[in-house]
C-alpha cells in the first residue's frame, strides 16, 4: 500500500528531510520546494476548518512559524503532519482572538455551519452543496479528523498527532463522522 | 444503514478513493466493493467528499518562501557535535574519577604497609610490594641484595623490640615455620599483650618488614 498521492508534486524529488537539511545549509530553493509541496494541502485544510478569509496568510504564517522552529522538528513524525499541527493551532488561535473581539461565544463548533453562505450554494453543484452541508454539521473535531483522513490521506496515527488525540480516538471520530455524513446524504 | 463488517477492506476505502493503493491491493479492494453494498455506498461518499473539497485555493509559493526566515548555518561542531562533546566530557570525568579512586586506594594500601609493618621476623610477609621485596628469598642465608633498602631494613629489624603493631601485618600461615620461629612468634604475642596502650603512636620512621623464612626446617 502506498500513501495517498500529493496533489501538487514539486519538481524536487528530494525527501522533506533532505530539503530541510539543504535549507539549513543555506539553500533557499529548498524552502521553495517545501512550500510548493505542502502549501496546497495546508490551504485545503484551512478551508475545511472553516477558514474562508486570508487562507494564503494562514498558510504563510504556518510556514514562517515552522521554519522559525525547525530545530525543534523531530524526524519521527512527518513534516506534513507537523505543518498541519501548526496550522490547526494558528487557526484555533485566530478564532479565539476573533471570538474575544466579537464577544461571540459560539464560534468554535457552530461557525463552520453558519459560514456556509448562499454564495456557495449558488456556485456549487447540488451534490457538492449537500456534501459540504453534511460535513459542516459534524463537530469541529470530527470534521478535522474526517477531512484529514479523506482529503489529505493521513493515517490515524498522524491524525492523532495533529489533533492531539490518540490513534483509537481518531479512528472512532472518523467512523462516527462517516456514519453521520452518510445518514445526512442518504437517509 | 449498516457498516461493512470487513474492517480491513473498509479501512482501505479512503486510499482507494485517492488512488493510493498498489495494483494488487486495489484489485482486491475493488473486488470486495463490487460485492458489498455498504462499502460501495461508502466509497461513493468518499468520492463526493473529495470532490467537494478538491478545490485548492491559489497560494503564492514564491511570496511565502520569500517571507521565511533566513537559514542560519551553524558551525558543524557547535551544531551537531554538542551531544558528542558532552558525552566525551562525561567519559573524561569518569576516567579521572577512576584514576583518582584507584590511586588513592594504592596510596592507602602502600601507607598501611609502610606504617604498620610486622616486626617479627618469623611472620610470613604478604605480597605487599612484591616487586621490591623479593619475598621468596631467605635473606639470612643469601645475604642482602645489593642496593636494596627494604632488605636492609629486614635484616636490621631483628634487633629491635617487637611492637604490637608488628603483629597486625598481613600474614600467611605457619605451616612452613620451624619450632624456633613459632616460639618466637608466641613470645612476641605475649609481649604485645603486656605492652601498654599508647594514646597515640607515631608511625615508626624506619619501618621494618619481616623476613620470610621458608624451607629452613
Amino acid at each position: 500500500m502506498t500513501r495517498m498521492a500529493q496533489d501538487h508534486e514539486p519538481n524536487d524529488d528530494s525527501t522533506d528531510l533532505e530539503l530541510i537539511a539543504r535549507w539549513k545549509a543555506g539553500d533557499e530553493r529548498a524552502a521553495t520546494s517545501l512550500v510548493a509541496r505542502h502549501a496546497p494541502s495546508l490551504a485545503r485544510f484551512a478551508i475545511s476548518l472553516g477558514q474562508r478569509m486570508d487562507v494564503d496568510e494562514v498558510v504563510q504564517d504556518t510556514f514562517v512559524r515552522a521554519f522559525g522552529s525547525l530545530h525543534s522538528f523531530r524526524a519521527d513524525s512527518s513534516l506534513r503532519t507537523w505543518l498541519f499541527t501548526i496550522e490547526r493551532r494558528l487557526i484555533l488561535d485566530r478564532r479565539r482572538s476573533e471570538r474575544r473581539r466579537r464577544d461571540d461565544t459560539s464560534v468554535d463548533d457552530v461557525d463552520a455551519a453558519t459560514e456556509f453562505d448562499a454564495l456557495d450554494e449558488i456556485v456549487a453543484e447540488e451534490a457538492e452543496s449537500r456534501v459540504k452541508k453534511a460535513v459542516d454539521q459534524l463537530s469541529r473535531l470530527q470534521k478535522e479528523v474526517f477531512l484529514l483522513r479523506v482529503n489529505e490521506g493521513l493515517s490515524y496515527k498522524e491524525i492523532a498527532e495533529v489533533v492531539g488525540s490518540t490513534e483509537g480516538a481518531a479512528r472512532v471520530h472518523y467512523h462516527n463522522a462517516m456514519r453521520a455524513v452518510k445518514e445526512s446524504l442518504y437517509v | 444503514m449498516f457498516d461493512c463488517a470487513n474492517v480491513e477492506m473498509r479501512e482501505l476505502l479512503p486510499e482507494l478513493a485517492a488512488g493510493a493503493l498498489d495494483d494488487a491491493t486495489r484489485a482486491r479492494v475493488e473486488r470486495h466493493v463490487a460485492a458489498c453494498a455498504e462499502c460501495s455506498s461508502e466509497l461513493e461518499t468518499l468520492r463526493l467528499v473529495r470532490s467537494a473539497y478538491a478545490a485548492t485555493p491559489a497560494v503564492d509559493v514564491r511570496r511565502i518562501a520569500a517571507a521565511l526566515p533566513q537559514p542560519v548555518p551553524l558551525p558543524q561542531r557547535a551544531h551537531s557535535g554538542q551531544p558528542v562533546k558532552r558525552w566525551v566530557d562525561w567519559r573524561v570525568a569518569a576516567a579521572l574519577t577512576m584514576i583518582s579512586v584507584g590511586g588513592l586506594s594504592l596510596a592507602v594500601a602502600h601507607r598501611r604497609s609502610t606504617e604498620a609493618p610486622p616486626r617479627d621476623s618469623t611472620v610470613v610477609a604478604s605480597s605487599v610490594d612484591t616487586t621490591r621485596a623479593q619475598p621468596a628469598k631467605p635473606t639470612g642465608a643469601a645475604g642482602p641484595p645489593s642496593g636494596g633498602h627494604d632488605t636492609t631494613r629486614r635484616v636490621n629489624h631483628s634487633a629491635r623490640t617487637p611492637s604490637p603493631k608488628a603483629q597486625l601485618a598481613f600474614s600467611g600461615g605457619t605451616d612452613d615455620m620451624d619450632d624456633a620461629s613459632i616460639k618466637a612468634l608466641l613470645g612476641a604475642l605475649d609481649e604485645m599483650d603486656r605492652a601498654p596502650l599508647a594514646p597515640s603512636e607515631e608511625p615508626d620512621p624506619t619501618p621494618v618488614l619481616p623476613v620470610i623464612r621458608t624451607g629452613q626446617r
Side-chain angles (χ1 to χ4, degrees):
Chain A
M1 188 195 329
T2 59
R3 288 188 56 84
M4 285 190 186
Q6 301 276 341
D7 291 330
H8 184 99
E9 287 291 339
N11 294 328
D12 198 327
D13 291 333
S14 305
T15 66
D16 285 349
L17 291 179
E18 290 169 345
L19 289 173
I20 290 171
R22 279 167 47 189
W23 178 77
K24 284 180 178 176
D27 184 359
E28 294 184 22
R29 289 175 303 173
T32 306
S33 295
L34 285 169
V35 171
R37 179 177 295 180
H38 295 293
S41 295
L42 292 172
R44 279 197 305 270
F45 185 52
I47 288 178
S48 71
L49 291 182
Q51 187 71 32
R52 302 293 170 129
M53 306 289 290
D54 305 325
V55 171
D56 205 41
E57 186 181 326
V58 168
V59 173
Q60 177 175 311
D61 288 351
T62 302
F63 277 108
V64 169
R65 186 169 294 193
F67 275 76
S69 56
L70 263 182
H71 58 276
S72 66
F73 171 65
R74 297 184 306 168
D76 52 357
S77 65
S78 73
L79 178 67
R80 196 160 74 120
T81 304
W82 193 54
L83 290 170
F84 279 134
T85 307
I86 293 172
E87 184 181 48
R88 180 177 180 270
R89 286 179 190 154
L90 276 174
I91 291 174
L92 292 180
D93 288 345
R94 278 174 168 247
R95 286 187 182 179
R96 289 192 191 98
S97 300
E98 289 173 7
R99 188 172 55 193
R100 278 195 294 270
R101 191 157 37 105
R102 297 175 186 172
D103 196 23
D104 181 357
T105 56
S106 60
V107 171
D108 234 18
D109 283 337
V110 184
D111 66 339
T114 57
E115 283 176 2
F116 192 80
D117 52 31
L119 183 62
D120 285 327
E121 266 189 305
I122 294 170
V123 174
E125 296 179 3
E126 176 66 18
E128 183 179 318
S129 299
R130 288 174 56 219
V131 169
K132 283 192 172 180
K133 279 183 179 175
V135 172
D136 285 342
Q137 287 171 358
L138 301 174
S139 73
R140 193 197 73 221
L141 187 57
Q142 279 183 335
K143 187 177 174 183
E144 288 174 8
V145 171
F146 185 71
L147 292 178
L148 283 172
R149 177 85 182 112
V150 177
N151 273 11
E152 306 305 331
L154 266 62
S155 68
Y156 293 121
K157 185 170 182 286
E158 291 171 323
I159 293 170
E161 287 180 31
V162 172
V163 303
S165 179
T166 64
E167 193 175 340
R171 189 187 302 270
V172 169
H173 283 307
Y174 169 76
H175 286 294
N176 286 340
M178 173 58 80
R179 190 172 297 118
V181 169
K182 283 197 290 188
E183 286 176 357
S184 176
L185 289 175
Y186 304 120
V187 176
Chain B
M1 183 171 296
F2 300 100
D3 295 331
C4 176
N6 190 332
V7 177
E8 183 199 358
M9 290 295 118
R10 197 175 169 214
E11 293 291 354
L12 290 174
L13 292 178
E15 277 77 17
L16 179 65
L21 295 176
D22 58 66
D23 292 343
T25 309
R26 190 187 71 242
R28 196 159 55 92
V29 178
E30 282 178 344
R31 277 198 301 274
H32 171 80
V33 170
C36 176
E38 290 83 11
C39 283
S40 178
S41 169
E42 189 158 316
L43 182 62
E44 180 61 23
T45 304
L46 288 167
R47 285 176 172 153
L48 283 172
V49 172
R50 286 182 60 83
S51 174
Y53 288 92
T56 301
V59 285
D60 190 340
V61 171
R62 293 194 182 280
R63 186 175 63 82
I64 293 174
L68 296 179
Q70 295 296 312
V72 183
L74 296 174
Q76 193 66 26
R77 283 188 62 184
H79 182 62
S80 61
Q82 190 170 1
V84 176
K85 184 183 178 187
R86 194 175 300 156
W87 167 239
V88 169
D89 289 346
W90 277 104
R91 288 194 300 181
V92 169
L96 288 175
T97 303
M98 292 297 293
I99 290 170
S100 301
V101 171
L104 187 62
S105 301
L106 285 175
V108 169
H110 181 69
R111 188 177 176 189
R112 275 188 174 178
S113 67
T114 54
E115 283 185 356
R119 295 292 178 87
D120 192 274
S121 61
T122 59
V123 175
V124 178
S126 72
S127 60
V128 173
D129 204 1
T130 54
T131 58
R132 290 189 300 163
Q134 301 178 0
K137 287 186 177 179
T139 54
S146 60
H149 293 291
D150 291 345
T151 310
T152 304
R153 279 185 241 139
R154 288 180 196 170
V155 172
N156 293 338
H157 88 282
S158 58
R160 300 176 65 86
T161 303
S163 74
K165 283 174 65 178
Q167 309 307 318
L168 300 177
F170 306 117
S171 61
T174 57
D175 293 345
D176 56 352
M177 296 171 65
D178 55 18
D179 291 344
S181 297
I182 291 175
K183 191 175 289 184
L185 173 61
L186 292 174
L189 288 172
D190 289 341
E191 278 194 33
M192 183 180 70
D193 290 339
R194 287 194 298 273
L197 291 175
S200 63
E201 290 188 29
E202 289 296 321
D204 193 334
T206 56
V208 178
L209 290 174
V211 175
I212 304 169
R213 296 181 186 280
T214 57
Q216 290 187 352
R217 296 188 180 180

